[in-house]
Amino acid sequence: MPGMLAALTYLRGSARWRRSTPCAETSITAANLPVTQRIEIDGFRIYVLHILAELDPSAADNVDAVIYGHSHQPKIETKNGTLFFNPGSAGPRRFGLPITVGRVTAEHGKLRAEIIELSVEHHRRRPIPA
């Protein structure tokens, strides 16, 4: 598709978004979203889910990476040759954790994860002079 940067994969997250309320831009509701996704990018097999504790170990068999969230705690670890990656949260600061995004790249036939901390300046709202 011309002008496309990358494919988008999405799944159900926390229940803050009411399951029956459609997204403003689409008719998608949270109830219609998958709980997990198994994707392949450039030959790398990646399993994506929201809550790591809900990972079915057999679902993670034969994958190169498991990407998850929910805790908002950025983390990179390797278990039995599989990358486990939580990019953290780019939303409002919560639980005293840093505001982060993640990047996964392929180098020399292996996946490499990186956590990028975002610098956020706090501005006080000032009244507009009359």
Side-chain angles (χ1 to χ4, degrees), residues 99-111:
I99 298 172
T100 60
V101 295
R103 176 172 37 210
V104 177
T105 55
E107 295 179 359
H108 309 292
K110 294 193 177 208
L111 292 176

Side-chain angles (χ1 to χ4, degrees), residues 27-80:
S27 61
I28 297 172
T29 64
N32 297 341
L33 297 177
V35 176
T36 64
Q37 289 275 8
R38 194 177 181 106
I39 60 175
E40 187 170 320
I41 301 173
D42 292 337
F44 292 102
R45 299 153 304 178
I46 302 169
Y47 190 80
V48 186
L49 75 162
H50 186 65
I51 301 174
L52 183 61
E54 296 177 358
L55 175 66
D56 175 355
S58 65
D61 285 348
N62 298 316
V63 297
D64 300 295
V66 173
I67 300 177
Y68 63 99
H70 185 68
S71 70
H72 300 260
Q73 295 177 326
K75 189 172 190 176
I76 302 169
E77 61 183 337
T78 301
K79 297 178 186 175
N80 299 321

Side-chain angles (χ1 to χ4, degrees), residues 4-16:
M4 189 167 121
L5 294 175
L8 175 66
T9 300
Y10 49 89
L11 50 92
R12 189 179 313 165
S14 295
R16 286 189 196 95

